[in-house]
Every structure is written in C-alpha cells, then in structure tokens.
C-alpha cells in the first residue's frame, strides 16, 4: 500500500470541499470546519488563556474564513491560510477585551541572557507557564517561537516597533527560563 495515496486523496477532497464551500454549500463548509477546528482552537488557545474565549475567537475566525473564502487562491496550504486568520482573530479578540499591554523598557537584549532551558516538564505545564506571562510577552513569544513570525511581521500585526517585539520576546524567554529553573530546583529538592 502506498502511504502517499492518503495524502493525495485528502488534498483532493479538501480542494473539492473548498470549491463547494465557495459556492456557499453548507455541508462543505461544515466539513471544512470539522477538519480544521481542532487545530485552529489550539492556535487560538496559544494566545487566549480562557478556553471559552479561545473558542469565541476561533468561531469569529471561521466566520472570516468563510466570508473571505473566495480570496483564497490556492497559493500555499489552506491550513496555513486559515491559521493566519486565526492568529489575527485572536489578536483582535484580545484588543477588544483590552487585554494586550506591552511593557516598554530600555534593556540591552544581548547581555545577561542565555537560552539554556532544560526541562522534563509536560506540554500542559509549559502552556500554563506561557499563560501566566503578561499578555504582551505571551503574544510576541507565541507569534515568534510557536508560529514562526519574524519580528518585522509581528511589529506590523501588533502595531509596535521591531525593538518592542524583540524586547517582549527577550523578557518572555527570560521569565519562562526563571520559572522553569525554579520548578526544576523545587522538583530536585535543591534551593
């Protein structure tokens, strides 16, 4: 059995669903939603701590997906296209709730920081630490470290300077490293 057959079949099915969904076929839209909703909820959840709020942002994002489906030209992956809408939907949701705040300090990013986080923590524990970050730190950290955006892209999306983006990332990493080091010390019984 050829393992690539399943991938090709899924791609053809998705392309057919997209064509039908563009014509407002509700069954096709529902199938696309069912196919992508679990991953997209995870994307929204990276940014938004409360699950119900993340679901609301995801649903708003899917509304935008289906409203703008005609603009998807097939360049790049459909999932990637949806994902970028979900990121923007999450940012918009947080802006509406006035939960985004960027603490601006003048710091030397190159001094006093090494990225040497070593941990045996579970993903859920790390997500809790990320959720505990101030919103500005968290948003830039997720966009850069998880989503793979560059600082110039983050700055443009969040209406901040590249320097602020870099500063927020630096502070987020430093805070996460401190928290993980503290947890590791507590786990191993050393102070």
């Amino acid at each position: 059995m050829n393992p690539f057959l399943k991938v090709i079949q899924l791609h053809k099915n998705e392309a057919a669903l997209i064509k039908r969904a563009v014509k407002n076929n509700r069954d096709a839209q529902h199938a696309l939603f069912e196919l992508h909703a679990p991953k997209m909820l995870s994307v929204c959840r990276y940014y938004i701590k409360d699950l119900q709020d993340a679901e609301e942002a995801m649903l708003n994002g899917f509304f935008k997906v289906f409203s703008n489906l005609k603009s998807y030209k097939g360049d790049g992956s459909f999932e990637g296209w949806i994902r970028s809408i979900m990121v923007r939907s999450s940012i918009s949701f947080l802006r509406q709730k006035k939960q985004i705040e960027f603490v601006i300090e003048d710091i030397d990013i190159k001094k006093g920081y090494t990225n040497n986080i070593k941990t045996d923590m579970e993903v859920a524990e790390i997500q809790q630490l990320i959720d505990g970050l101030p919103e500005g730190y968290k948003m830039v950290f997720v966009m850069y470290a998880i989503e793979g955006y560059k600082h110039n892209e983050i700055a443009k999306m969040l209406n901040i300077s590249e320097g602020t983006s870099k500063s927020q990332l630096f502070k987020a990493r430093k805070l996460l490293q401190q928290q993980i080091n503290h947890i590791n010390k507590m786990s191993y019984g050393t102070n």
Side-chain angles (χ1 to χ4, degrees), residues 114-125:
T114 57
N115 190 8
N116 60 357
I117 297 174
K118 294 178 182 146
T119 185
D120 293 327
M121 295 174 69
E122 297 292 323
V123 173
E125 293 172 296

Side-chain angles (χ1 to χ4, degrees), residues 33-48:
F33 176 84
E34 290 293 319
L35 183 64
H36 293 285
K39 278 187 183 178
M40 296 309 124
L41 180 57
S42 293
V43 169
C44 294
R45 178 63 187 81
Y46 288 146
Y47 295 91
I48 302 169

Side-chain angles (χ1 to χ4, degrees), residues 23-152:
K23 296 176 183 173
N24 289 326
N25 180 301
R26 298 295 180 217
D27 291 334
Q29 290 174 343
H30 180 74
L32 286 171
F33 176 84
E34 290 293 319
L35 183 64
H36 293 285
K39 278 187 183 178
M40 296 309 124
L41 180 57
S42 293
V43 169
C44 294
R45 178 63 187 81
Y46 288 146
Y47 295 91
I48 302 169
K49 182 189 288 190
D50 183 75
L51 182 59
Q52 289 178 330
D53 287 345
E55 287 174 344
E56 184 178 336
M58 180 194 70
L59 291 173
N60 290 338
F62 270 107
F63 177 77
K64 291 174 188 168
V65 165
F66 293 122
S67 297
N68 296 296
L69 196 53
K70 290 176 183 162
S71 70
Y72 175 69
K73 302 297 181 206
D75 301 333
S77 79
F78 184 63
E79 182 178 316
W81 184 76
I82 294 175
R83 188 179 195 100
S84 67
I85 292 172
M86 293 302 156
V87 169
R88 285 179 167 78
S89 179
S90 297
I91 292 168
S92 177
F93 180 87
L94 290 170
R95 275 197 179 119
Q96 287 174 348
K97 298 285 185 183
K98 298 191 185 337
Q99 293 180 348
I100 302 175
E101 183 178 321
F102 297 99
V103 179
I104 300 174
E105 296 174 15
D106 191 23
I107 58 171
D108 187 355
I109 294 174
K110 294 179 178 126
K111 289 185 181 176
Y113 175 76
T114 57
N115 190 8
N116 60 357
I117 297 174
K118 294 178 182 146
T119 185
D120 293 327
M121 295 174 69
E122 297 292 323
V123 173
E125 293 172 296
I126 294 171
Q127 181 66 52
Q128 283 182 325
L129 292 178
I130 293 170
D131 284 343
L133 291 171
E135 286 302 322
Y137 294 10
K138 176 182 172 182
M139 187 166 301
V140 172
F141 178 82
V142 169
M143 292 178 82
Y144 185 88
I146 297 173
E147 296 293 332
Y149 287 103
K150 306 272 188 259
H151 285 294
N152 62 337

